[in-house]
Amino acid sequence: MNPKILLSGLVTMLAVALAGPGCSAQAEMMAPPGGKFQAVSKLVPLPDFIPGIGTLYVDPATLPAGPFLAYDKAGQLVSSVYMIPLEDMQNKKSFSNLGAAHQQVDHVDLYFNAGHPGVATPHYHVVVWYVSPEKAAALK
């Protein structure tokens, strides 16, 4: 299958998932989100704040896909991040009922990552932003 078509379908699926299960809108707005979500920096050797993405929290049971909830330095929710292994996409694995924050979406970014602590295999980051591109770019 054409990877561009596969990625397009993945983005569409994630947009639909925004109405699906996740943590409560009230709990997710400020860090930490509570529930089963844990700081990624406490689970793997990553910094508390990652420039360009923010401070990440994830329910470990949802790994590797997530969602990872990302917060700015003031503790405000800025995005949900999904980390989809390239191998799973090539094997046509389905990801159904992915959780999502219950926020209005501003834009979505999709980009390749060769691997990092926590998701060491090559994968795609699908970032569902709740802030403008300018605010997203200011996460430094």
Side-chain angles (χ1 to χ4, degrees):
M1 176 177 252
N2 182 327
K4 289 182 182 179
I5 293 171
L6 185 63
L7 292 176
S8 174
L10 179 63
V11 170
T12 300
M13 176 189 69
L14 290 172
V16 170
L18 293 173
C23 63
S24 75
Q26 184 76 13
E28 71 196 9
M29 288 304 299
M30 294 296 295
K36 296 180 180 180
F37 282 84
Q38 297 179 35
V40 169
S41 61
K42 304 295 186 234
L43 301 172
V44 298
L46 285 172
D48 290 335
F49 185 88
I50 301 167
I53 201 79
T55 300
L56 296 175
Y57 291 84
V58 69
D59 173 353
T62 66
L63 295 174
F68 294 77
L69 299 180
Y71 296 84
D72 64 15
K73 288 184 178 178
Q76 293 280 337
L77 179 69
V78 294
S79 71
S80 291
V81 181
Y82 303 87
M83 299 184 191
I84 309 299
L86 183 58
E87 181 179 6
D88 287 344
M89 293 174 69
Q90 291 170 330
N91 289 331
K92 302 177 186 172
K93 180 178 177 179
S94 295
F95 291 87
S96 300
N97 296 316
L98 293 173
H102 297 89
Q103 305 302 319
Q104 183 173 346
V105 174
D106 184 277
H107 65 286
V108 177
D109 290 336
L110 174 75
Y111 56 89
F112 178 77
N113 187 291
H116 52 72
V119 185
T121 61
H123 59 281
Y124 275 88
H125 284 192
V126 181
V127 185
V128 179
W129 291 100
Y130 311 118
V131 297
S132 70
E134 294 78 22
K135 286 187 179 178
L139 288 170
K140 297 179 179 174

